[in-house]
Amino acid sequence: MICNYFSGRTGNQMFQYAFVRKLREIRENRDSLVFNFSLLSQHKTGEKDYKDTFEDFNIVPYTINNNNLVLKFGSFRQRFLYFVFQFEARIFRKFFNKSKWFRRFSKEGLLFSEYNNHDYAQYAPLIEGKEPTRFFQNLIVYGKFENPEFFQGIKPILQQEFTPKYPPLESNKELYNIIKQNNTVCVHVRRGDFLSDEFRKDFYVCDEQYYHKAIQLIKQKVDNPIFFFCSNDINWVRDALKIDSPCYYEPEDNPLWETFRMMYTCKHFVISNSTLSWWAQYVCKNESKIVVSPDHWYNNPEMNKNARLIQPEFIKVETSYH
């Protein structure tokens, strides 16, 4: 069995699932999956609560258990180690080293990672099949794992499983025809919470200037492009990003699964520093796709030291720190 705590929005959850899915491929017994979504209720925006969106996608079957996964499914050794960790965290809070504990956890089938730790090296022996993960009856996972190295080798699986369960909406039939029959460029504009006081200093990277530069760049690379804009602030997009090319916009009443399918159906991409944006270009099956991205993922230089999502094949636009 592989148990996982999920956190964040859909794009974040996709990275966490991808890591778990890779672990399931490595282990010979094709473990059942148990997912805990209790952390999602702790993260709210002005729009709506976070939710489990996997129910809309073709991923492998899973069960939900929102109890403490270590206490519920851990071995005696895993539970004992977890209790000692919790005890030390409370007694020695000032000198407590969580990273050291998480490295020790990984040797016992507790694959815990801190928020901004996307280091593949710590888990390389396990992912490359050099560590006998089958010796642990249950693996328990907690972390972001936003690094494609964590799920290398299973791209076709993820491209299939991150497709919606439902057929395209009839109301979008004409728009799908346009997207499929042209050199369509998906432009993803993430605003909303990225502009809030809580997140702006770390996440507000892609401003209006970035999008104008990126669009001009991709117009030099793609013949007769048309642009399909997706955003959590589509009215701002209509007003601020006026370009002399055909433009289409995400329907405002689209469910997320439908918007995501429209995104990955496009042939080329201008992405934002958004995990959903990243996954759309990954799921896209156009082998000759062009992806334009900012040259750094976070607005915080310290966080960028551990960022792993800007790929070598992306065309990077020099982007200011705000």
Side-chain angles (χ1 to χ4, degrees):
M1 180 183 297
I2 303 176
C3 309
N4 187 75
Y5 286 95
F6 281 94
S7 62
R9 290 190 175 190
T10 303
N12 304 115
Q13 294 174 37
M14 285 177 164
F15 278 103
Q16 295 154 43
Y17 173 81
F19 179 52
V20 167
R21 191 67 176 84
K22 174 68 175 184
L23 295 175
R24 188 174 185 268
E25 284 298 298
I26 293 169
R27 286 159 63 96
E28 298 173 358
N29 56 3
R30 293 297 186 267
D31 300 74
S32 58
L33 302 181
V34 177
F35 294 162
N36 181 311
F37 294 105
S38 63
L39 296 179
L40 303 189
S41 63
Q42 300 174 21
H43 302 283
K44 299 182 180 181
T45 70
E47 303 162 16
K48 59 183 179 180
D49 292 0
Y50 290 67
K51 59 164 285 190
D52 159 30
T53 50
F54 288 139
E55 62 189 7
D56 299 323
F57 290 88
N58 286 306
I59 71 167
V60 297
Y62 61 92
T63 58
I64 298 175
N65 192 303
N66 287 332
N67 294 302
N68 184 309
L69 297 178
V70 180
L71 302 186
K72 183 73 176 179
F73 300 107
S75 65
F76 174 81
R77 187 178 179 87
Q78 288 171 328
R79 284 183 280 126
F80 176 77
L81 191 64
Y82 180 75
F83 276 125
V84 176
F85 162 78
Q86 293 284 4
F87 176 79
E88 185 172 307
R90 289 185 173 90
I91 301 301
F92 304 106
R93 282 182 291 181
K94 188 174 181 180
F95 307 100
F96 184 66
N97 188 329
K98 185 186 291 186
S99 297
K100 181 179 178 180
W101 268 100
F102 283 0
R103 286 193 295 272
R104 184 175 179 186
F105 275 4
S106 68
K107 301 181 184 302
E108 300 293 338
L110 300 177
L111 308 182
F112 283 27
S113 178
E114 293 188 78
Y115 174 82
N116 199 38
N117 178 15
H118 309 300
D119 182 20
Y120 171 73
Q122 179 178 341
Y123 300 100
L126 183 151
I127 295 172
E128 295 169 7
K130 299 173 184 176
E131 190 170 289
T133 61
R134 62 184 179 277
F135 292 165
F136 302 111
Q137 182 176 357
N138 295 332
L139 296 177
I140 301 171
V141 183
Y142 168 82
K144 293 294 186 184
F145 304 103
E146 293 177 3
N147 180 345
E149 288 185 288
F150 284 125
F151 44 88
Q152 57 188 318
I154 62 166
K155 186 173 183 176
I157 293 174
L158 296 174
Q159 286 177 314
Q160 171 58 35
E161 295 183 3
F162 287 157
T163 58
K165 291 179 179 178
Y166 322 112
L169 298 178
E170 187 65 27
S171 58
N172 290 328
K173 184 177 180 180
E174 183 178 347
L175 187 51
Y176 271 111
N177 287 336
I178 292 170
I179 291 173
K180 292 176 180 178
Q181 293 171 10
N182 293 276
N183 279 333
T184 313
V185 180
C186 175
V187 183
H188 186 254
V189 182
R190 175 73 175 270
R191 286 174 59 80
D193 56 332
F194 275 19
L195 298 176
S196 68
D197 292 340
E198 182 180 1
F199 297 115
R200 187 183 185 103
K201 65 182 177 65
D202 291 333
F203 297 102
Y204 183 51
V205 173
C206 299
D207 57 11
E208 182 178 345
Q209 186 178 24
Y210 162 72
Y211 287 107
H212 281 297
K213 287 181 180 178
I215 289 168
Q216 285 303 120
L217 181 58
I218 209 161
K219 285 170 71 173
Q220 298 171 19
K221 305 286 186 181
V222 177
D223 294 332
N224 302 315
I226 71 166
F227 292 88
F228 175 62
F229 288 93
C230 296
S231 177
N232 55 358
D233 191 351
I234 204 70
N235 290 329
W236 180 90
V237 171
R238 290 177 185 272
D239 292 337
L241 301 181
K242 298 183 184 298
I243 58 176
D244 57 349
S245 296
C247 296
Y248 296 86
Y249 301 88
E250 166 194 358
E252 292 189 35
D253 56 350
N254 261 4
L256 183 142
W257 53 265
E258 177 78 333
T259 293
F260 185 68
R261 174 164 47 207
M262 286 184 159
M263 291 171 69
Y264 71 66
T265 303
C266 293
K267 295 181 176 66
H268 308 285
F269 298 84
V270 171
I271 69 169
S272 65
N273 58 321
S274 159
T275 50
L276 188 69
S277 188
W278 192 95
W279 277 108
Q281 64 79 30
Y282 183 90
V283 174
C284 172
K285 294 183 178 180
N286 177 21
E287 295 297 328
S288 58
K289 67 189 173 192
I290 295 171
V291 181
V292 178
S293 78
D295 64 354
H296 56 271
W297 196 258
Y298 299 107
N299 204 36
N300 182 330
E302 285 300 312
M303 294 174 69
N304 279 317
K305 292 179 181 179
N306 295 313
R308 299 290 186 272
L309 294 186
I310 297 178
Q311 300 298 286
E313 65 270 20
F314 291 178
I315 300 174
K316 290 87 172 174
V317 172
E318 185 175 350
T319 312
S320 301
Y321 282 90
H322 298 280

